Amino acid sequence: EDCADDVGRIVKLRSTGTSAGVSVSVVSWIWYGLERSKVFDYIYFINNYGWFWGSGITANGDIRSNGDFSLRYGPKINGDVYASVDPEIGSSGTISGTSVYDSLSTYYATAPLRARPGNPTYPSEDVNGNGLLDPGEDTNGNGQLDTYEYSDGYDGTSVHYDKQMPIVMPYLGDLGFYKTVATQKRGKIIKGGTTLVDGVYEGNLVLIGTDADPIEIEGPVVITGDVIIKGKVKGQGVIYAGRNVHIVGSIKYVDPPKWKKPDTNPSATDDDNLSKDFLGLAAKGNVIIGDYTDYHWYNSCGRYLRPPFTTPYKVEPSDAGNGYVTSYDAEGNPWFNGNYTAYDGGKKEDGSPRRYYESSLTNWFIRSISDDYRDIKQIDAFIYTNHAVAGTVGNLTLNGGIVARDEAIRFLNKLTLNYDIRVKNLRFRDKFYLPRDLSEPKVWVWEEE
């Protein structure tokens, strides 16, 4: 039977047992459904080996890989690090190298407003540590001794957890499910008062937002081809691309969320952030940042988009439409050889051959609308891709998170990642329609017939 939630079903199971000639039937009603995947609990989740190389990296959030994790040159991680055991890729779940992190007091003083809150969000009112609310200690004037807990906030420690079990990453196969959701939720993209996308858009779409005319998104939408995007964005929603997402300039929210540090009223802050802008970018192909037609782009990150840096991996049969099925194993499972720099079998609009990391639009057009890589300084979005996220950028601040199979982002001096904690908070996360995964079955009712 249909569940009230359009991404779940209630299944009726009947079990009958007989003892001493007496038969009894028991019926259970069990809910099976989909929920936002746990990969979005992390600011950086890689479904392969993870790497943070560079003292210019700051991650204000937890990071995780489904393989080993390599840390080099002292990146700052204001959160925990996870590595996973995966015999299929030869991972022993090892975290190599070291990282640094801020104390909670330093985090209060220096973390940007876009970074997640601390935990507690404000130092305890018990300044002298005697367990009592003494004169001068009642910060918010409520007459109670408060500690301002925020369970998902940064607690001033950075723990390395190795040898973890992998987390199954959802796979964007046939986009039929997301097309249905987009239609049911009446997802839209509006610009200049005109509806560009009403649920589902067939083909490639270029979206450029300005201060006067931002991209407006409402709920989930599906664009079956490539998405090329930059500029100002308002509203809350997720764009599902049937192929690549190309970020050709900075993306900035008109009305971004903010978390004060310290904060004596985190509940009110959550209330305020409930309606703030949110953009999810989910690609069945790759997420590519910057002008890939520029020689500097390829010279900087191109070598990280092919073996031996990348390795072959199992894909989904529907990936054949994007050229990712390059072989089959003995069991008939499709595989991709890991070379994103090769031609994918498709054509650009001018008839020239297309590489995996390229769009279907002409090189001339991409060059004409792309900002210089040094000017790509901010991306407000939560990025998800089945395959690779790659690009050459300036001193980039990404407010949201990254979930990908492979990652090859090259930056000038600084790369700052600020986790948008709304995707983890129960009050927010189901508003954004991020890629789903099978949830734990829930028994609703047991009854004897």
Side-chain angles (χ1 to χ4, degrees):
E1 296 186 15
D2 286 349
C3 180
D5 185 348
D6 62 345
V7 293
R9 295 291 185 270
I10 297 174
V11 178
K12 182 180 180 181
L13 297 179
R14 178 184 290 105
S15 299
T16 302
T18 302
S19 178
V22 177
S23 296
V24 176
S25 294
V26 175
V27 173
S28 60
W29 297 84
I30 304 175
W31 180 80
Y32 290 87
L34 300 174
E35 63 183 3
R36 182 208 58 109
S37 172
K38 290 181 173 55
V39 299
F40 297 104
D41 289 350
Y42 305 90
I43 192 171
Y44 176 94
F45 181 94
I46 297 298
N47 195 28
N48 196 1
Y49 294 98
W51 65 314
F52 264 30
W53 290 3
S55 60
I57 298 174
T58 298
N60 292 312
D62 300 332
I63 64 176
R64 184 169 186 138
S65 71
N66 267 349
D68 297 332
F69 213 115
S70 176
L71 307 171
R72 289 189 186 178
Y73 315 118
K76 180 183 287 187
I77 304 169
N78 291 325
D80 299 327
V81 184
Y82 298 79
S84 306
V85 178
D86 188 349
E88 188 169 285
I89 63 173
S91 166
S92 61
T94 300
I95 301 174
S96 61
T98 60
S99 56
V100 299
Y101 60 94
D102 290 331
S103 66
L104 194 53
S105 60
T106 299
Y107 190 77
Y108 285 147
T110 63
L113 285 172
R114 300 296 297 276
R116 62 177 177 162
N119 182 31
T121 61
Y122 192 89
S124 173
E125 291 178 324
D126 188 13
V127 176
N128 58 19
N130 66 357
L132 302 173
L133 187 65
D134 296 317
E137 293 182 336
D138 191 5
T139 303
N140 58 13
N142 67 355
Q144 301 176 3
L145 181 61
D146 298 309
T147 56
Y148 310 105
E149 295 294 326
Y150 199 105
S151 61
D152 292 325
Y154 175 57
D155 62 6
T157 65
S158 181
V159 182
H160 290 187
Y161 294 97
D162 59 4
K163 302 187 185 307
Q164 302 295 298
M165 292 295 294
I167 295 178
V168 176
M169 182 174 170
Y171 209 96
L172 291 185
D174 185 340
L175 290 180
F177 166 75
Y178 294 100
K179 288 181 178 180
T180 299
V181 173
T183 301
Q184 290 179 344
K185 300 297 182 182
R186 299 179 180 178
K188 296 181 185 301
I189 294 179
I190 301 169
K191 200 166 180 297
T194 300
T195 298
L196 301 180
V197 180
D198 188 2
V200 178
Y201 181 93
E202 298 290 339
N204 308 310
L205 186 64
V206 178
L207 297 168
I208 301 176
T210 64
D211 290 336
D213 187 13
I215 302 161
E216 300 181 48
I217 184 166
E218 300 176 5
V221 298
V222 174
I223 298 167
T224 62
D226 293 325
V227 176
I228 294 85
I229 185 171
K230 72 173 182 178
K232 287 295 187 73
V233 175
K234 65 182 296 186
Q236 294 182 341
V238 177
I239 298 174
Y240 287 90
R243 192 174 173 274
N244 290 353
V245 171
H246 291 269
I247 300 172
V248 295
S250 290
I251 297 175
K252 297 181 180 181
Y253 294 153
V254 173
D255 189 15
K258 299 176 182 177
W259 288 272
K260 296 178 290 184
K261 303 171 192 65
D263 187 354
T264 60
N265 197 341
S267 179
T269 301
D270 278 352
D271 290 341
D272 189 46
N273 286 331
L274 190 64
S275 61
K276 300 297 185 181
D277 298 336
F278 178 87
L279 174 65
L281 296 173
K284 185 170 169 58
N286 303 305
V287 175
I288 302 299
I289 306 170
D291 179 7
Y292 58 79
T293 70
D294 188 293
Y295 77 95
H296 181 78
W297 190 98
Y298 188 82
N299 288 345
S300 178
C301 68
R303 69 188 182 96
Y304 298 106
L305 289 173
R306 60 179 183 264
F309 188 82
T310 61
T311 58
Y313 58 93
K314 192 183 302 182
V315 294
E316 206 270 347
S318 66
D319 270 339
N322 286 334
Y324 285 93
V325 178
T326 56
S327 66
Y328 292 87
D329 62 21
E331 287 75 36
N333 298 307
W335 281 68
F336 174 53
N337 61 22
N339 186 2
Y340 300 99
T341 67
Y343 293 115
D344 67 5
K347 300 289 185 181
K348 299 176 187 176
E349 290 182 343
D350 59 3
S352 61
R354 184 185 62 193
R355 301 181 190 274
Y356 290 96
Y357 66 81
E358 295 179 322
S359 79
S360 301
L361 305 182
T362 66
N363 285 0
W364 175 88
F365 182 80
I366 291 297
R367 192 177 302 119
S368 72
I369 64 170
S370 296
D371 294 341
D372 185 277
Y373 75 94
R374 289 162 292 194
D375 294 328
I376 303 178
K377 298 179 179 179
Q378 182 173 329
I379 297 176
D380 291 347
F382 214 109
I383 293 171
Y384 171 92
T385 170
N386 286 337
H387 301 293
V389 56
T392 302
V393 296
N395 295 317
L396 177 67
T397 297
L398 186 143
N399 301 304
I402 294 172
V403 176
R405 164 79 190 189
D406 293 309
E407 178 264 307
I409 297 176
R410 304 288 287 168
F411 56 95
L412 286 178
N413 298 303
K414 294 182 180 180
L415 175 64
T416 302
L417 307 177
N418 295 316
Y419 183 55
D420 190 336
I421 202 167
R422 293 179 299 172
V423 304
K424 191 174 183 180
N425 189 313
L426 285 172
R427 294 184 63 190
F428 300 99
R429 65 188 192 184
D430 287 333
K431 287 168 57 67
F432 301 143
Y433 311 107
L434 288 165
R436 304 287 176 126
D437 200 4
L438 187 65
S439 64
E440 292 290 331
K442 298 177 178 63
V443 178
W444 282 19
V445 177
W446 288 91
E447 57 185 8
E448 182 178 331
E449 285 191 334

